[in-house]
């Protein structure tokens, strides 16, 4: 069955659990810094190393950020809730329990609206809660640093205890064949919302935003099917691919008369499909109970109101404003948003590019390139500043469209800023009149018959000579300038 | 010359302040006493001679002054001391030197109190006899063949054996008070949240309370004042002024209790206790009446469920608190010989590093928190906790403090309660309700039964720690103190 | 009837990462049964409409400000480690989920 055929037979139900690492200066329960890339185990203390006797104290900024995320997702904020311990053993979790929230999340019952193919879909938010991140484990001795086949592991607890917000959607039925795109659009929208709040850098490629995707299939009119949970989905594109591949995999099993097992699966970036992990039947019993070392959270209504008043412009409102500024259609704006290009274009314009130029590069050449490389647009290898510089070179006449594409290719390949690539690859438009005049004169001398025709007034024949000049200048000349010069030399202008 | 080890902390402090003796002399006297008697008592797991003398020298140099400056102290081995071994009497932490001081230790140091060493206890504070210490039991100075109580038997025995004038204990279900009772010393469990838990190796987080131990009520109050108070590193710390327990102890010492209503807990005044314990308790009540106190019998019907609720809540929290001992970041590691996976090494480490009582409690706690059992066990125990709190609250509407024997029996011979773990649990029958409620309670010596000390327990409302000190000091003035036979 | 079976004790020991011996299993099963039968008495209390108490102090909203405090040095952090390598805690191989 093709994907489209599957979706005429089965109805998918999709749910997403997204973890966002907050950008607070310090950890959730201690004053250790959260700087990325520090030397291993230099941002740890008795609390986040779980030394005997150490006790946690909650970071006010992390609670505020969680409430703001909840508010931005239209959630109700709990009047009273507690932290809970989730008990299981794992070496990257120093206490061997995660301080999290269980049946009393800080934010509940919200929603996010996304638009795909001109239609709006409402994604229900079940809960938003606060918890802590784990440390990082390096596997040694196996192939390519993977856990499988490793002979030992090395643990760094710098990341342990960094505040993590978990955002859980309700299961979303009724999306049909657009389920993968809508899932991706939701994550893109969530990312834009969180980024606008300024509480996280939400960089999927660095792991500060991570997704788990729940997928099930059912026949129309029947109960929802058994769901699988796909972990390790770490880019916008992967969200879409993970849902699609899981739909295809499950449909094949169901069509064979097989059963779907509730299990955790892992998304494989290389192949784009999912692989079975630990099955939920044997999953450990987490033995949640209220965290006795932390007192309940009871946000004062005034505080919540204050946090609400401080919310920034909503991405959807902002997009409407930008659409005006950029002078583009609603559909075009939506594809910009779904491509995750809003901020990139905005920053490119801020760096000096025209709106049309910025959008052209990000949604054209760079989107195509990102697609080829299978990465998110933000990770394609060009920065807004570089794209703006490129457009400025075009505007100044130093690059034509064809050359600009080649320069951009060099930028994406890591060869440097546009000016550097232009110089090193020798791609500048030839504006030197002397060199150009020489090339024109040579072309006239080499083609006396055509030259004669033009002198006789058959100006249309000039195209052939312009082509010859462009060939000798390897495309670096401006075609109009060549034509003007040619006519001048032949005395017809 | 006076034997410095026989003096109270208050008089030692006065002599040091007036330069009659030096802090180094006082500290040395206690270190010498430890060297002389601890081989028989085994109150200490580690003696920090150099650290103690360094601290004493600072006081003698005039760098630190204060109400207890220069008075040495023993610290229960469940409290972290920077650079000094801290094991919680467990093999799993053998040799561990914490890189940080507990808040209460910081306060002792700031107050100029030389820390003599770390005292023995039941492993991770789970027990009532110190028989569950991985390093061997402590012997009761009153009778070396008997238990010194637990879990803080080492701290109490160190006081009774004149090895230290003051000690730090921790009380989760009676671990300060019951050892105080069976060694004829004073032990106070402050209001939960009144003393910082930061640096106290957690057993049951919602119950654990560090507190002072001394030979007199006044000494205990002095230490209480030094160690108590708000700590921003403990989220459950109460940000309020410490009740004036010193003034209350002085007031009580005058021997006037007119207008004070003592509530005798009906459920704890009957056949649960040994006859000798009960008669000492009743004699003490009479003595208190003579001082002007009024006795009211109050009923706390839910106290009978305190022991079962405690033995669900404490092990549940412990099963989670003790998960961190996995051989990855500190302490023991077993089985890491290349043939075992991390999971196996963790299990072998915990199997080899924990003693039987700790394992039993971890397993019970894991059970009580399991899905399917949570509501019937842990959840129900938390509801019982609410009911016990309500019993206390309604009792304190009628009376100022509640009183009972501290523990149903005097120091028992080693081995007499280890075969049936539940028999050991009964030692905490009268002390546990207070922990579930969170209020303060104190045990003060009130008499002897067949030559062994009996403790009298006074329980007060939360943040009214001063009330119990007043009654305790009055009782002390009425019945006198009790001195163990020479070692 | 026993409140807890030997098999249950074995399962709980695995959950708690305790490599208990057969002899311990026999002993613990009996002892835990006695303890559980005794503590099960909490079930006698009619407490359906009673709220549970998780904290004895009625505090709420205890926070610290988002201001960095000194961390331990790498050396201090690793000082108690049974095994460390290049600034990290070394542990034996971790069982793969698919193993």
């Amino acid at each position: 069955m093709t994907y489209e055929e599957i979706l005429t037979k089965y109805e998918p139900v999709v749910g997403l659990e997204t973890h966002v690492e907050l950008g607070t200066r310090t950890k959730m329960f201690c004053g250790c810094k959260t700087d990325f890339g520090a030397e291993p185990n230099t941002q740890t203390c008795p609390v986040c190393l779980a030394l005997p006797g150490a006790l946690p104290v909650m970071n006010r900024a992390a609670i505020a950020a969680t409430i703001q995320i909840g508010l931005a997702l239209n959630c109700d904020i709990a009047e009273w809730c507690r932290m809970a311990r989730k008990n299981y053993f794992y070496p990257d979790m120093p206490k061997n329990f995660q301080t999290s929230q269980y049946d009393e999340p800080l934010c509940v019952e919200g929603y996010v609206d996304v638009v795909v193919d001109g239609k709006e879909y409402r994604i229900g938010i079940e809960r938003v809660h606060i918890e802590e991140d784990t440390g990082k484990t390096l596997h040694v001795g196996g192939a390519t640093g993977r856990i499988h086949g490793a002979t030992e592991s090395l643990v760094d607890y710098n990341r342990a205890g960094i505040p993590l917000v978990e955002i859980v959607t309700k299961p979303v039925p009724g999306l049909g064949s657009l389920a993968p795109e809508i899932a991706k659009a939701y994550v893109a929208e969530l990312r834009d919302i969180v980024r606008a709040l300024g509480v996280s850098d939400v960089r999927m490629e660095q792991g500060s935003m991570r997704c788990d995707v729940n997928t099930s299939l059912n026949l129309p009119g029947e109960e929802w099917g058994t769901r699988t949970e796909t972990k390790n989905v770490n880019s916008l594109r992967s969200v879409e691919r993970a849902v699609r591949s899981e739909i295809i995999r499950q449909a094949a099993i169901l069509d064979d008369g097989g059963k779907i097992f509730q299990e955790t699966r892992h998304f494989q970036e290389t192949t784009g499909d999912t692989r079975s992990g630990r099955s939920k039947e044997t999953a450990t019993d987490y033995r949640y109970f209220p965290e006795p070392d932390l007192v309940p959270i009871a946000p004062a209504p005034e505080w919540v109101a204050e946090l609400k008043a401080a919310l920034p412009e909503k991405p959807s409102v902002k997009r409407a404003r930008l659409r005006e500024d950029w002078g583009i259609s609603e559909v075009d704006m939506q594809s910009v948003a779904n491509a995750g290009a809003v901020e990139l274009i905005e920053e490119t314009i801020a760096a000096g590019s025209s709106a049309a130029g910025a959008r052209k590069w990000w949604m054209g050449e760079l989107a195509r390139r990102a697609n080829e490389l299978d990465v998110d647009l933000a990770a394609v290898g060009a920065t807004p500043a570089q794209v703006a510089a490129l457009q400025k070179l075009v505007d100044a006449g130093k690059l034509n469209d064809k050359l600009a594409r080649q320069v951009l290719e060099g930028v994406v390949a890591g060869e440097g800023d546009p000016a550097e690539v232009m110089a090193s690859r020798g791609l500048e438009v030839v504006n030197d009149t002397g060199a150009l005049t020489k090339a024109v004169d040579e072309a006239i001398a080499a083609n006396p018959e055509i030259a004669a025709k033009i002198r006789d007034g058959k100006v249309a024949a000039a195209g052939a000579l312009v082509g010859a000049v462009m060939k000798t200048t390897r495309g670096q000349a401006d075609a109009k300038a060549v034509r003007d010069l040619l006519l001048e030399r032949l005395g017809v202008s | 010359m006076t034997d410095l080890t026989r003096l109270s902390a208050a008089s030692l402090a006065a002599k040091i302040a007036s330069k009659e003796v030096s802090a180094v002399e006082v500290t040395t006297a206690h270190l010498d006493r430890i060297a002389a008697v601890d081989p028989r008592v085994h109150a200490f797991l580690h003696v920090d001679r150099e650290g103690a003398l360094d601290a004493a020298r600072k006081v003698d140099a005039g760098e630190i002054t204060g109400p207890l400056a220069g008075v040495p102290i023993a610290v229960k081995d469940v409290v972290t001391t920077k650079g000094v071994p801290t094991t919680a009497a467990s093999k799993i932490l053998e040799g561990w030197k914490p890189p940080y001081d507990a808040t209460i230790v910081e306060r002792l140091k700031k107050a100029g109190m030389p820390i003599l060493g770390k005292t023995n206890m039941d492993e991770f504070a789970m027990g009532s006899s110190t028989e569950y210490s991985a390093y061997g039991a402590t012997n009761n100075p009153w009778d070396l063949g008997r238990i010194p109580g637990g879990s803080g038997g080492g701290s109490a025995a160190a006081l009774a054996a004149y090895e230290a004038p003051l000690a730090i204990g921790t009380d989760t279900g009676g671990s300060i008070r019951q050892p105080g009772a069976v060694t004829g010393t004073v032990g106070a469990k402050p209001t939960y949240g009144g003393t910082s838990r930061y640096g106290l190796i957690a057993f049951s987080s919602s119950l654990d309370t560090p507190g002072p131990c001394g030979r007199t009520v006044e000494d205990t109050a002095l230490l209480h004042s030094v160690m108590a108070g708000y700590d921003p590193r403990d989220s459950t710390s109460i940000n309020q002024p410490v009740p004036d327990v010193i003034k209350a102890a002085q007031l009580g010492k005058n021997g006037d209790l007119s207008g004070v209503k003592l509530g005798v807990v009906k459920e704890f005044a009957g056949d649960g206790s040994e006859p000798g314990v009960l008669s000492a308790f009743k004699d003490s009540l009479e003595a208190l009446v003579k001082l002007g106190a009024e006795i009211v019998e109050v009923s706390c019907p839910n106290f009978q469920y305190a022991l079962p609720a405690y033995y669900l809540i404490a092990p549940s929290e412990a099963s989670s608190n003790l998960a961190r001992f996995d051989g990855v970041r500190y302490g023991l590691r077993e089985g890491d010989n290349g043939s075992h996976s991390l999971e196996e090494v963790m299990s072998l480490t915990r199997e080899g590093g924990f003693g039987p009582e700790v394992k039993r409690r971890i397993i019970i706690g894991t059970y009580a928190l399991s899905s399917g059992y949570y509501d019937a066990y842990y959840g129900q125990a938390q509801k019982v906790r609410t009911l016990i709190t309500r019993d206390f609250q309604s009792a304190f509407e009628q009376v100022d403090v509640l009183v009972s024997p501290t523990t149903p029996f005097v120091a028992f011979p080693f081995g007499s309660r280890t075969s049936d773990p539940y028999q050991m649990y009964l030692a905490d029958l009268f002390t546990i309700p207070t922990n579930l409620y969170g209020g303060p309670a104190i045990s003060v010596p009130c008499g002897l039964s067949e030559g062994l000390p009996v403790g009298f327990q006074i329980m007060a409302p939360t943040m009214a720690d001063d009330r119990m000190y007043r009654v305790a000091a009055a009782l002390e003035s009425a019945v006198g103190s009790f001195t163990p036979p020479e070692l | 009837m026993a409140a807890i079976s030997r098999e249950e004790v074995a399962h709980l020991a695995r959950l708690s990462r305790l490599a208990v011996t057969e002899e311990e299993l026999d002993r613990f099963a009996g002892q835990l049964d006695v303890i559980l039968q005794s503590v099960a008495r909490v079930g006698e209390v009619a407490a359906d409409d009673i709220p549970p108490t998780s904290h004895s102090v009625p505090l709420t909203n205890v926070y610290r400000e988002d201001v960095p405090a000194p961390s331990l040095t790498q050396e201090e952090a690793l000082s108690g480690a049974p095994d460390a390598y290049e600034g990290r805690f070394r542990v034996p191989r971790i069982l793969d989920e698919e193993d």
Side-chain angles (χ1 to χ4, degrees):
Chain A
M1 278 197 303
T2 65
Y3 177 73
E4 293 306 327
E5 283 166 355
I6 291 170
L7 272 306
T8 56
K9 184 168 175 188
Y10 296 104
E11 294 176 345
V13 179
V14 177
L16 291 109
E17 293 170 20
T18 310
H19 286 94
V20 172
E21 203 178 85
L22 293 180
T24 49
R25 292 177 70 201
T26 67
K27 294 187 179 181
M28 183 63 209
F29 302 116
C30 64
C32 285
K33 287 187 192 167
T34 56
D35 299 346
F36 188 79
E39 285 294 304
N41 296 302
T42 55
Q43 294 180 161
T44 64
C45 73
V47 177
C48 58
L49 281 177
L51 296 191
L55 293 173
V57 184
M58 285 186 279
N59 184 338
R60 184 195 304 275
I63 300 296
T66 310
I67 293 174
Q68 284 204 308
I69 290 173
L71 291 170
L73 301 177
N74 307 294
C75 288
D76 298 333
I77 308 303
E79 287 171 16
W80 189 92
C81 65
R82 287 176 295 189
M83 302 300 292
R85 291 189 186 178
K86 180 181 185 181
N87 293 288
Y88 64 103
F89 284 84
Y90 210 76
D92 60 12
M93 205 169 51
K95 295 173 290 193
N96 284 318
F97 62 79
Q98 183 189 34
T99 308
S100 179
Q101 294 196 282
Y102 180 46
D103 49 358
E104 299 165 3
L106 188 47
C107 320
V108 294
E109 291 294 320
Y111 62 86
V112 174
D113 291 327
V114 295
V115 179
V116 172
D117 278 5
K119 196 173 163 215
E120 188 170 89
Y121 298 86
R122 176 157 289 190
I123 311 296
I125 302 292
E126 188 172 292
R127 59 185 285 155
V128 177
H129 77 244
I130 180 81
E131 59 185 33
E132 59 178 331
D133 212 340
T134 59
K136 272 186 179 161
T137 306
L138 211 66
H139 304 293
V140 185
T144 65
R146 291 204 28 235
I147 188 167
H148 188 82
T151 52
E152 61 179 38
S153 299
L154 300 170
V155 195
D156 168 16
Y157 293 104
N158 280 349
R159 199 181 65 179
I162 291 183
L164 209 55
V165 172
E166 182 172 334
I167 300 140
V168 183
T169 70
K170 294 181 178 179
V172 195
L175 302 181
S177 64
L178 282 178
E181 284 85 351
I182 294 166
K184 177 187 170 194
Y186 158 76
V187 178
E189 182 70 13
L190 180 63
R191 190 190 58 175
D192 287 354
I193 290 171
V194 174
R195 182 180 289 151
L197 291 172
V199 297
S200 167
D201 59 5
V202 278
R203 292 171 70 162
M204 296 189 85
E205 71 279 8
Q206 275 190 7
S208 58
M209 183 173 183
R210 323 194 267 272
C211 275
D212 301 338
V213 181
N214 294 327
T215 315
S216 72
L217 291 183
N218 59 273
L219 290 169
E222 292 193 357
E223 275 182 31
W224 291 353
T226 304
R227 70 186 162 88
T228 59
E229 181 180 13
T230 305
K231 289 192 175 287
N232 202 24
V233 188
N234 295 331
S235 72
L236 286 179
R237 247 186 83 73
S238 299
V239 172
E240 183 180 341
R241 292 168 77 204
V243 175
R244 189 182 301 270
S245 79
E246 199 45 27
I247 287 174
I248 293 168
R249 188 190 70 85
Q250 291 187 14
I253 293 171
L254 292 173
D255 261 21
D256 259 7
K259 265 182 75 172
I260 304 299
F261 293 101
Q262 186 169 343
E263 62 175 352
T264 300
R265 303 184 64 82
H266 293 274
F267 183 71
Q268 309 296 306
E269 288 285 350
T270 42
T271 56
D273 55 17
T274 69
R275 196 177 63 152
S276 179
R278 180 181 53 204
S279 86
K280 280 234 169 147
E281 281 84 353
T282 60
T284 185
D285 178 346
Y286 291 125
R287 289 161 281 133
Y288 283 99
F289 72 102
E291 167 59 277
D293 284 330
L294 295 167
V295 302
I297 302 165
E302 305 78 50
W303 191 35
V304 175
E306 214 174 281
L307 292 170
K308 191 167 193 170
L311 289 181
E313 185 183 31
K314 271 189 181 179
S316 56
V317 175
K318 180 178 168 180
R319 281 197 299 269
R321 175 171 59 79
L322 292 178
R323 194 170 69 74
E324 292 270 299
D325 292 353
W326 299 350
I328 60 172
S329 74
E330 219 167 290
V331 171
D332 285 347
M333 190 68 215
Q334 202 56 54
S335 41
V336 168
N338 293 348
V342 177
E343 272 78 19
L344 295 169
I345 294 173
E346 213 188 349
E347 287 165 29
T348 305
I349 295 169
S353 167
S354 65
R359 191 166 71 87
K360 176 183 129 184
W361 293 118
W362 284 109
M363 296 303 290
E365 195 63 15
L366 289 170
R368 190 182 59 73
R369 189 75 192 126
N371 203 27
E372 272 172 22
L373 292 173
D374 218 353
V375 295
D376 281 348
L377 202 47
V380 76
T383 65
Q386 289 170 328
V387 176
L390 181 77
Q391 183 59 35
K392 277 191 261 184
L393 290 172
V394 173
D395 292 343
K398 291 192 174 177
L399 290 176
N400 58 27
D401 191 66
K402 186 178 165 201
L403 291 174
R405 281 170 204 274
Q406 291 175 43
V407 170
L408 192 55
E409 188 186 284
V411 170
V412 168
E415 292 169 25
D417 286 336
E420 290 165 4
V421 177
M422 192 171 82
S424 63
R425 288 197 180 187
L427 294 174
E428 189 170 357
V429 168
V430 177
N431 280 328
D432 176 346
T433 329
L436 210 53
T437 306
K438 189 170 166 258
V440 168
D441 287 349
E442 279 170 10
I444 291 170
N447 301 282
E449 282 164 31
I450 301 173
K453 279 184 188 170
I454 298 168
R455 283 198 192 94
D456 291 347
K458 288 187 178 167
V459 180
L465 287 189
V466 170
V469 174
M470 293 304 283
K471 198 173 175 187
T472 55
T473 58
R474 291 177 306 149
Q476 280 167 266
D478 182 71
K480 188 171 176 300
V482 171
R483 186 184 166 88
D484 290 349
L485 188 63
L486 183 73
L487 296 180
E488 188 194 310
R489 299 298 280 179
L490 293 172
V492 272
S493 61
Chain B
M1 195 190 148
T2 349
D3 182 352
L4 294 172
T5 64
R6 299 283 163 150
L7 299 180
S8 70
S11 52
L12 285 172
K15 284 180 191 292
I16 293 165
S18 69
K19 307 269 182 195
E20 192 184 328
V21 292
S22 71
V24 168
E25 285 172 301
V26 172
T27 303
T28 305
H30 286 94
L31 289 167
D32 290 349
R33 173 76 180 170
I34 293 169
V37 303
D38 210 52
R40 279 170 287 154
V41 179
H42 194 231
F44 285 86
L45 291 177
H46 180 82
V47 176
D48 185 21
R49 191 177 183 93
E50 285 318 306
L53 288 171
D54 279 349
R57 278 191 279 269
K58 282 187 187 159
V59 174
D60 288 338
E63 288 173 37
I64 308 173
T65 55
L68 287 174
V71 179
I73 186 165
V75 175
K76 191 178 179 183
D77 202 33
V78 74
V79 177
T80 61
T81 42
K82 188 173 181 175
V84 174
T86 302
T87 68
S90 179
K91 283 281 177 220
I92 211 158
L93 273 180
E94 189 162 10
W96 183 59
K97 290 183 182 169
Y100 78 107
D101 273 329
T103 297
I104 51 176
V105 169
E106 275 183 359
R107 289 185 183 173
L108 300 180
K109 288 184 175 176
K110 224 175 131 194
M113 300 181 71
I115 295 172
L116 297 166
K118 308 298 288 291
T119 56
N120 198 12
M121 52 185 280
D122 289 291
E123 184 179 2
F124 286 105
M126 299 176 185
S128 307
S129 70
T130 72
E131 288 168 288
Y132 295 134
S133 166
Y135 304 100
T138 295
N139 304 316
N140 193 329
W142 287 80
D143 176 347
L144 295 174
R146 289 175 186 266
I147 61 105
S151 63
S155 283
L159 296 172
Y162 301 100
E163 295 173 276
L166 289 170
I168 294 289
T170 65
D171 193 310
T172 305
S175 287
I176 288 175
R177 290 163 286 161
Q178 183 258 0
V182 301
T183 58
T185 59
V186 180
K189 174 220 173 293
T191 296
Y192 179 90
T195 43
S196 168
R197 291 187 295 118
Y198 190 81
L200 159 58
I201 299 176
F203 159 21
S204 178
S205 312
S206 76
L207 303 166
D208 295 342
T209 315
C213 310
R215 281 192 300 264
T216 71
V217 175
E218 187 190 12
D219 284 0
T220 310
L222 285 167
L223 178 55
H224 187 125
S225 293
V226 166
M227 69 186 288
Y230 176 64
D231 177 13
R233 288 184 293 188
D234 174 357
S235 301
T236 59
S237 177
I238 297 173
N239 192 358
Q240 282 175 32
V242 179
D244 195 343
V245 293
I246 299 172
K247 199 174 135 199
Q250 283 159 355
L251 186 66
K253 211 172 171 181
N254 299 336
D256 180 12
L257 287 180
S258 355
V260 176
K261 281 190 188 173
L262 308 180
V264 174
V265 181
K266 194 174 86 185
E267 289 78 4
F268 287 171
D271 10 302
S273 300
E274 289 173 354
V277 168
L278 213 51
S279 79
F281 175 68
K282 286 182 172 157
D283 290 350
S284 303
L285 285 179
E286 278 172 30
L288 291 168
V289 169
K290 281 187 192 147
L291 300 177
E294 187 189 335
I295 306 287
V296 181
E297 192 184 70
V298 292
S299 175
C300 296
N302 293 295
F303 279 19
Q304 60 171 313
Y305 299 107
L307 192 73
Y310 174 87
Y311 277 100
L312 288 166
I313 291 170
S316 295
E317 293 182 4
S319 71
S320 175
N321 283 329
L322 268 56
R324 66 185 58 193
F325 300 99
D326 60 4
V328 172
R329 291 162 309 283
Y330 41 79
L332 184 76
R333 178 184 289 184
E334 290 200 348
D336 186 11
N337 55 10
S339 68
H340 294 116
S341 70
L342 176 65
E343 287 75 3
E344 289 161 343
V345 168
M346 277 187 183
S347 299
L348 290 167
T349 299
R350 291 165 62 78
E351 168 66 12
F354 291 139
E357 180 61 15
V358 173
K359 288 182 209 169
R360 277 192 289 270
R361 296 207 196 184
I362 288 175
I363 292 173
I364 291 176
T366 303
Y367 177 80
L369 289 174
S370 299
S371 62
Y373 295 107
Y374 183 95
D375 289 340
Y377 289 102
Y378 185 76
Q380 178 75 4
Q382 286 204 323
K383 290 177 171 186
V384 168
R385 189 170 184 178
T386 306
L387 292 171
I388 287 164
T389 299
R390 289 181 184 174
D391 278 0
F392 271 107
Q393 286 165 342
S394 73
F396 289 133
E397 284 169 14
Q398 306 163 57
V399 298
D400 297 305
V401 294
L402 290 173
V403 296
S404 76
T406 305
T407 178
F409 24 83
V410 295
F412 47 85
F414 287 112
S416 60
R417 287 177 189 268
T418 38
S419 58
D420 179 354
Y422 201 76
Q423 286 303 308
M424 186 75 84
Y425 295 176
L426 291 173
D428 297 334
L429 192 61
F430 303 152
T431 45
I432 278 172
T434 293
N435 295 85
L436 293 172
Y437 159 56
I442 193 168
S443 175
V444 59
C446 72
L448 298 176
S449 167
E450 290 174 26
L452 292 168
V454 175
F456 185 94
Q457 178 178 230
I458 304 149
M459 300 166 264
T462 49
M463 287 313 270
D465 305 42
D466 46 340
R467 282 192 206 173
M468 69 187 189
Y469 275 98
R470 182 182 170 192
V471 178
L475 180 62
E476 183 183 56
S477 71
V479 301
S481 60
F482 303 89
T483 306
E486 285 301 320
L487 278 167
Chain C
M1 198 193 108
I4 190 164
S5 66
R6 195 177 183 280
E7 288 67 38
E8 266 180 298
V9 174
H11 169 71
L12 294 166
R14 268 196 304 279
L15 259 185
S16 340
R17 293 280 192 278
L18 291 169
V20 290
T21 62
E22 293 297 312
E23 182 274 326
E24 274 179 310
L25 270 184
D26 291 335
R27 191 154 38 90
F28 285 168
Q31 289 172 335
L32 296 180
D33 192 50
V34 171
I35 295 168
L36 283 172
Q37 306 262 17
S38 309
V39 298
R41 282 191 60 216
V42 294
E44 293 170 11
V45 183
D48 282 353
D49 49 353
I50 305 297
T53 296
S54 54
H55 300 74
S56 61
V57 193
L59 293 170
T60 53
N61 299 325
V62 174
Y63 306 117
R64 32 172 284 276
E65 298 308 319
D66 188 23
V67 178
S71 294
L72 296 174
T73 62
Q74 190 186 69
E75 197 190 344
E76 286 172 319
L78 298 168
S79 64
D83 199 357
Y85 179 72
E86 290 186 340
R88 294 180 170 86
F89 294 86
R90 196 203 73 88
V91 296
R93 73 191 159 85
I94 301 167
L95 279 186
D96 194 347
E97 283 180 338
E98 289 120 277
D99 278 1

